[in-house]
Amino acid sequence: MKIVSKYLPVWIVLLSVIAYFFPQAFAWIRHLTGPGLGMIFLLMGMSLSTDSIKSVLKAPRYTILGGVLKWTITVGVTVVIAFLFFRGEPELATGVILAGTVPSGTSANLYSFIAGGEVALSITLASVDTVISPVLTPTLVKVFAGQLIKIEFLPLFLNIIYIVFIPLFMGLFLQWKWPRKVELVRPYTSFLSTMALFVVVLSVISSAQATLSQQLAQLPVIFAAVFLQVAIPMFGGYGVARWLKVPEANCRSILFHVGICNTALSSTLAMEHISTIAAVPAVTNMVVNLTLGALVANHFAFMSHGDGSSASKKAG
């Protein structure tokens, strides 16, 4: 797991390149995008520590702050970028909006752990995000992208319920019903989630390969747009948290929560409910947020190691 997490940006880029140039090699897993995402949320539910979450909920101000920053900064920056870069291209603009209005990415929890952030806060933020996203995501997409392209609220809502909501609570149910058996699996949930993420990356990239190749001329502009879409909320959220004198470990968790959206989910939703072209911004965002997030996480880990103390100790 240390090898996988340390070189996660390399793995993501490598797998993306392989899936792009050899799409037919992964045709057999293309139908696993939804199940792969569902597995990630199932494992998240199984790995939630009720004690740590209770301690965070007893002081909910950081959870509220992180949630507010995610659904204001991230969404606000996303809408501005969508209309600034792709006003005349409604499918691409809609894809950008969808990529910035889904719940936080599960890699945010992993990166918070690597960076010495407050993992309990990160998991709590992700859980709250997951619970409210079935309503917020289709509503925001309908409001901001509905003027660009026809958006059906109910199918989008139900898809998020099936992929996100049900697996998460199934994981919580398994943890409540068979705690001893789940305890045997829990040490491996991060590794299994990462493997599921790799399957999703291969599936999404190989499925969108034809569309990506048709959009090659646009890719530099799309990459520039999604880089700003990830970087501005990421460092903006961290900056606001620091300005409000939030403990450093919590600031780091907020950074990843605000900056990293579940673009594997948004690319799946885009392909199923809009078009493969709308999935292109989500696919590029997935590569950018995973790569930038891993670089930032490893930077914080190096800083903590160099200081001879962890971020959590600083927070104390």
Side-chain angles (χ1 to χ4, degrees), residues 218-267:
Q218 285 273 58
L219 281 183
V221 176
I222 295 172
F223 266 105
V226 300
F227 178 82
L228 295 174
Q229 184 185 17
V230 174
I232 294 174
M234 185 177 284
F235 297 110
Y238 179 77
V240 171
R242 286 290 301 269
W243 179 65
L244 293 173
K245 302 188 186 304
V246 174
E248 176 64 18
N250 292 337
C251 288
R252 295 181 185 184
S253 292
I254 289 172
L255 178 150
F256 295 112
H257 177 74
V258 175
I260 297 178
C261 291
N262 195 329
T263 39
L265 173 63
S266 64
S267 60

Side-chain angles (χ1 to χ4, degrees), residues 1-81:
M1 188 62 214
K2 289 181 180 179
I3 294 173
V4 171
S5 61
K6 183 177 181 181
Y7 299 104
L8 192 56
V10 178
W11 296 124
I12 295 297
V13 173
L14 180 62
L15 291 174
S16 299
V17 170
I18 292 172
Y20 179 82
F21 285 105
F22 306 100
Q24 292 306 315
F26 304 101
W28 60 281
I29 64 169
R30 288 179 189 171
H31 66 287
L32 296 179
T33 307
L37 288 166
M39 176 61 69
I40 292 171
F41 286 106
L42 174 69
L43 292 167
M44 180 192 294
M46 293 171 64
S47 63
L48 290 177
S49 169
T50 54
D51 290 336
S52 59
I53 290 176
K54 284 178 182 177
S55 67
V56 171
L57 293 177
K58 287 179 180 177
R61 60 186 182 278
Y62 301 135
T63 303
I64 295 171
L65 175 64
V68 169
L69 291 177
K70 166 21 191 301
W71 292 101
T72 54
I73 295 178
T74 308
V75 174
V77 169
T78 289
V79 172
V80 170
I81 287 174

Side-chain angles (χ1 to χ4, degrees), residues 129-138 153 156-157 160-161 164-165:
D129 234 24
T130 303
V131 170
I132 63 178
S133 66
V135 174
L136 271 183
T137 296
F153 176 90
L156 193 59
F157 170 80
I160 298 174
I161 290 290
V164 177
F165 198 81

Side-chain angles (χ1 to χ4, degrees), residues 195-220:
M195 293 300 103
L197 178 63
F198 288 167
V199 170
V200 171
V201 170
L202 291 170
S203 172
V204 168
I205 299 292
S206 63
S207 298
Q209 191 273 344
T211 304
L212 287 170
S213 63
Q214 293 170 3
Q215 299 290 322
L216 281 179
Q218 285 273 58
L219 281 183

